[in-house]
Amino acid sequence: ESPHDLMNAGRVQHTGGALDVAMNGTAWLAVQDIRGEEALTRRGDLRLDADGRLETGDGRPVLGEGGAITVAAGFHTVRIARNGTVEARAAEDAPYVAVGRLRLVSPDPATLTRGPDGLFRSPGAEVDESATVTVGAVEQSNVEAAATLVELVQQSRSFEMQTKLLAAAREMDEGSAALMRVE
């Protein structure tokens, strides 16, 4: 697979979840991998863990401008703005206070590499100040199952044809060798 193909966005499914985000355009979300280093994902099903740390559905800490984003205990409601700002408020009638901003980057597709953990890396990826998210939605897989199945069938048939051609070439070679031995 080529990194260019990975940049094709999947379908956006609206969930209504206050912490669900779908990255718009070429934006990627920065998360922390198991080694504590920055990695990129388009997975936007976010949640707060027991310590108030914002993480993806698979438990990866979401990075902001100053590291992992954490919401202090006691906040009543948390929301994410279109520009990626994470806001919280202490009570229903209290104003929202910014607690961080999602680190959204738009890397050059040629620099993206997939790690064995399924996350992507792009050395030197800078924050994209113009990147936005769709709140209350998540991006589905960018794989089209029907098209992939058709391609798999075509490749299987091509393999069968090449195998038959090799068998025919071997038979012709053996036939030529037999003729040479007779004389």
Side-chain angles (χ1 to χ4, degrees):
E1 61 189 290
S2 72
H4 177 72
D5 294 335
L6 300 173
M7 294 301 285
N8 295 337
R11 284 178 301 171
V12 174
Q13 177 184 2
H14 293 278
T15 64
L19 297 180
D20 288 342
V21 294
M23 277 50 73
N24 295 327
T26 60
W28 291 71
L29 179 64
V31 295
Q32 190 174 49
D33 68 10
I34 199 157
R35 296 178 310 217
E37 297 175 4
E38 181 178 304
L40 304 175
T41 185
R42 287 186 63 93
R43 183 171 183 165
D45 58 333
L46 307 182
R47 63 180 183 214
L48 293 173
D49 71 3
D51 298 325
R53 186 175 60 178
L54 190 63
E55 60 183 26
T56 61
D58 59 353
R60 309 267 184 205
V62 175
L63 297 178
E65 295 162 346
I69 297 175
T70 303
V71 177
F75 278 94
H76 180 268
T77 309
V78 178
R79 70 179 184 188
I80 299 175
R82 183 166 166 74
N83 69 353
T85 301
V86 180
E87 302 173 323
R89 66 180 175 183
E92 192 67 35
D93 57 346
Y96 279 97
V97 177
V99 295
R101 184 169 182 218
L102 302 177
R103 181 170 162 78
L104 299 171
V105 300
S106 296
D108 177 3
T111 66
L112 279 174
T113 57
R114 180 188 289 227
D117 57 1
L119 298 173
F120 293 83
R121 275 89 178 161
S122 179
E126 296 293 325
V127 172
D128 182 355
E129 296 294 335
S130 64
T132 60
V133 295
T134 299
V135 181
V138 291
E139 183 178 338
Q140 299 296 305
S141 172
N142 64 356
V143 175
E144 294 294 331
T148 303
L149 183 58
V150 168
E151 184 180 339
L152 180 62
V153 169
Q154 289 173 336
Q155 290 178 358
S156 176
R157 288 183 180 161
S158 176
F159 177 76
E160 288 176 28
M161 186 171 48
Q162 290 174 2
T163 303
K164 288 179 183 179
L165 283 172
L166 287 173
R170 184 180 319 132
E171 287 177 22
M172 290 171 56
D173 185 49
E174 289 172 357
S176 299
L179 282 175
M180 296 299 283
R181 282 191 296 255
V182 171
E183 295 180 19

